[in-house]
Amino acid sequence: MPLKVYPAIDGGLQGLRVHHRMLHQMGVKLYGVMSNVNDGCEDWREYMPEFEDLLILRRCHPKVGKRPVKALSEWLLSGKPRRAQVLESRENKKHVMDYIEKHNIDTILLELPFTAEHIDFETVKKKGIRIILVEHNVEYIYEQEALSKYGCLAWPEISRMKKYERTILPQADKIVTVSPVDKEILEKEFGLTNVIFLPIPMEMPDIRWKERASKHIIFNGSLNSYVNYYSMKEFCKTVFPKYSKRYPEMKLLITGGVKDSVRKEFSHANIEFTGFVSEERLYELLCSCRFMVSPIIVGSGTKLKLIEGLSIGIPIVASEHCFEGVPFTTEYEKPYLVSSRTEEYLEHMGCLTESAEVRSSLSRGAVEFFYDTFVSPKNRKKWATILGLKVGENFEKVR
């Protein structure tokens, strides 16, 4: 794992964490390497009990904010994208390879391509150890969008990222994408034949959304994330003012961390912020709202906020971009509404605001779709096959 991943305070960290829990429940014995850590990790067992042990690697390259000249010079000389360069360390690579030998590891699960900095591929392949790389995003596309505000100044980093992925990805035995669109992009851009799309294995939450005349709709994502900020800024500029004018009693609740300057940008009488909330409180808020919006228009990968909503059966209006990451077919009762234009958003949001029948129908479809796609034994068995695991009774134990 390329950073400290607990507590999981945002969608990205949850994406790194969620399938570890399920692999543990499936009977997999997990050992972890968590790198680029800045602070203490004495409490890791409390947050990550699914791991038998963790090798924790401290940050070995300075942050730009603290030592900008050194950080910039190291990046320039490395020829690597920043997220790989900050993990580069001969000493840490030796620690990881010794750790792999000590615990007799037979399968390495790389969370993002940058963690390849800790692996000696030649040694690993000689030992017959399988390498599974999980691409949560197509990273060069993510960088392209996240750094767009810097214009042409961002191109050296984007170019390095694309070159890095082109070099690292073919060395994995299998690449797992959590979005079918990402699989198509990797095959087309890099000519890869070792890519498979697999939905993240998840469990069914005990909590469920229930129909109620709530005065709130919700967006469950931190505006500290560029993807969320950019998408919600567009939504709150083009869609929400018109919706609010039509339904002045309805409030938009935005969860997660947010800077004061961003609060001012999103200033509106009917927009409220919760700040960071615990996972338990987040689900309480989701269950108490009339419906959820997920108007994400940038970024690759699966939209975890959308999956969270589906898991508890909350009615959802989502973007076409979300649909590309979490598509559904006509075999299901529609699990969420898809919008691409302002008029479609207003139509769908108006329908969900007024019709309890439509909300209930979407809720039923969401739960069925979530179970069959992410929770079911057939999804677990696919992961088992990729990881080379024997399928036993634990794979059938699904809540």
Side-chain angles (χ1 to χ4, degrees):
M1 294 166 280
L3 71 173
K4 181 178 177 181
V5 298
Y6 71 88
I9 59 174
D10 60 32
L13 296 185
Q14 289 173 23
L16 289 170
R17 285 285 323 279
V18 70
H19 62 274
H20 295 155
R21 294 178 181 177
M22 289 306 296
L23 291 173
H24 173 68
Q25 288 185 18
M26 289 156 56
V28 179
K29 199 170 186 179
L30 294 174
Y31 292 87
V33 177
M34 194 163 60
S35 57
N36 214 33
V37 172
N38 294 306
D39 50 7
C41 296
E42 295 78 10
D43 57 349
W44 72 266
R45 292 184 184 277
E46 177 184 352
Y47 291 99
M48 303 179 74
E50 63 271 20
F51 283 87
E52 302 285 328
D53 185 40
L54 274 184
L55 173 62
I56 297 169
L57 303 175
R58 300 292 171 179
R59 188 181 188 96
C60 56
H61 295 275
K63 289 184 175 182
V64 174
K66 291 189 174 181
R67 300 183 67 184
V69 175
K70 183 173 176 56
L72 180 61
S73 62
E74 286 185 351
W75 173 76
L76 287 171
L77 292 171
S78 73
K80 297 179 179 179
R82 174 68 174 167
R83 287 193 284 167
Q85 176 259 314
V86 295
L87 301 182
E88 186 178 20
S89 165
R90 288 185 181 181
E91 183 180 356
N92 283 346
K93 181 178 287 189
K94 184 179 185 307
H95 285 322
V96 173
M97 294 305 297
D98 289 345
Y99 187 76
I100 289 170
E101 184 173 356
K102 174 184 176 182
H103 293 291
N104 197 27
I105 302 298
D106 58 17
T107 301
I108 297 172
L109 191 65
L110 296 178
E111 296 284 15
L112 306 178
F114 322 113
T115 49
E117 291 299 316
H118 297 320
I119 300 298
D120 182 336
F121 280 101
E122 184 178 348
T123 301
V124 165
K125 291 185 177 182
K126 281 182 179 179
K127 291 179 177 291
I129 301 171
R130 299 175 70 244
I131 301 173
I132 312 297
L133 193 156
V134 181
E135 277 275 81
H136 294 268
N137 300 280
V138 178
E139 297 300 334
Y140 87 86
I141 292 179
Y142 178 85
E143 292 293 313
Q144 191 170 295
E145 293 173 336
L147 300 175
S148 61
K149 61 183 177 180
Y150 299 108
C152 62
L153 295 176
W155 279 108
E157 179 69 357
I158 296 166
S159 177
R160 286 184 177 195
M161 185 67 72
K162 191 170 185 178
K163 181 180 178 182
Y164 190 81
E165 285 188 288
R166 191 184 299 278
T167 301
I168 295 297
L169 299 187
Q171 299 189 61
D173 293 283
K174 280 291 181 183
I175 299 166
V176 178
T177 70
V178 294
S179 161
V181 173
D182 287 0
K183 176 180 183 294
E184 294 175 8
I185 293 172
L186 292 176
E187 289 174 337
K188 181 179 178 180
E189 289 287 340
F190 302 134
L192 297 170
T193 58
N194 59 340
V195 187
I196 184 170
F197 156 63
L198 281 181
I200 299 171
M202 300 185 75
E203 59 185 332
M204 210 80 189
D206 295 324
I207 194 168
R208 288 287 183 280
W209 176 88
K210 292 182 179 179
E211 169 59 37
R212 65 190 74 196
S214 170
K215 300 295 184 184
H216 282 93
I217 63 176
I218 194 168
F219 172 75
N220 58 324
S222 167
L223 296 187
N224 288 340
S225 159
Y226 167 80
V227 168
N228 294 343
Y229 166 79
Y230 183 87
S231 300
M232 285 302 290
K233 189 172 183 179
E234 183 66 20
F235 176 81
C236 290
K237 176 183 176 182
T238 60
V239 177
F240 187 72
K242 293 180 180 179
Y243 171 80
S244 186
K245 189 174 182 179
R246 189 179 300 177
Y247 302 100
E249 76 282 5
M250 299 297 296
K251 308 287 186 181
L252 169 61
L253 196 63
I254 301 177
T255 69
V258 58
K259 298 176 182 176
D260 289 340
S261 58
V262 175
R263 283 177 184 262
K264 292 177 181 177
E265 283 188 65
F266 284 77
S267 179
H268 188 286
N270 284 5
I271 296 179
E272 300 175 358
F273 296 92
T274 68
F276 171 72
V277 294
S278 66
E279 184 175 339
E280 181 181 45
R281 177 57 179 158
L282 173 61
Y283 278 103
E284 288 177 359
L285 291 171
L286 286 169
C287 287
S288 67
C289 286
R290 194 172 298 196
F291 63 92
M292 183 180 114
V293 293
S294 187
I296 302 301
I297 54 177
V298 294
S300 60
T302 292
K303 309 302 176 279
L304 196 64
K305 57 183 61 62
L306 175 61
I307 299 174
E308 283 178 338
L310 292 169
S311 73
I312 63 172
I314 188 171
I316 303 169
V317 179
S319 65
E320 282 193 329
H321 192 70
C322 282
F323 176 79
E324 291 175 351
V326 191
F328 57 87
T329 63
T330 54
E331 67 182 279
Y332 297 99
E333 185 175 1
K334 191 174 290 187
Y336 61 95
L337 299 176
V338 182
S339 303
S340 60
R341 305 184 314 276
T342 298
E343 293 74 19
E344 280 185 311
Y345 274 108
L346 293 173
E347 178 186 351
H348 289 153
M349 291 170 68
C351 182
L352 288 181
T353 302
E354 298 175 10
S355 175
E357 183 179 349
V358 174
R359 293 195 295 270
S360 296
S361 175
L362 280 182
S363 181
R364 290 191 301 271
V367 171
E368 177 189 358
F369 174 75
F370 175 79
Y371 176 86
D372 197 44
T373 304
F374 301 98
V375 182
S376 65
K378 71 177 182 181
N379 189 39
R380 292 184 174 198
K381 287 176 180 178
K382 289 177 182 177
W383 275 91
T385 300
I386 290 298
L387 295 172
L389 304 173
K390 293 181 180 179
V391 178
E393 62 177 10
N394 284 340
F395 289 83
E396 306 296 336
K397 294 178 181 179
V398 183
R399 291 214 309 267

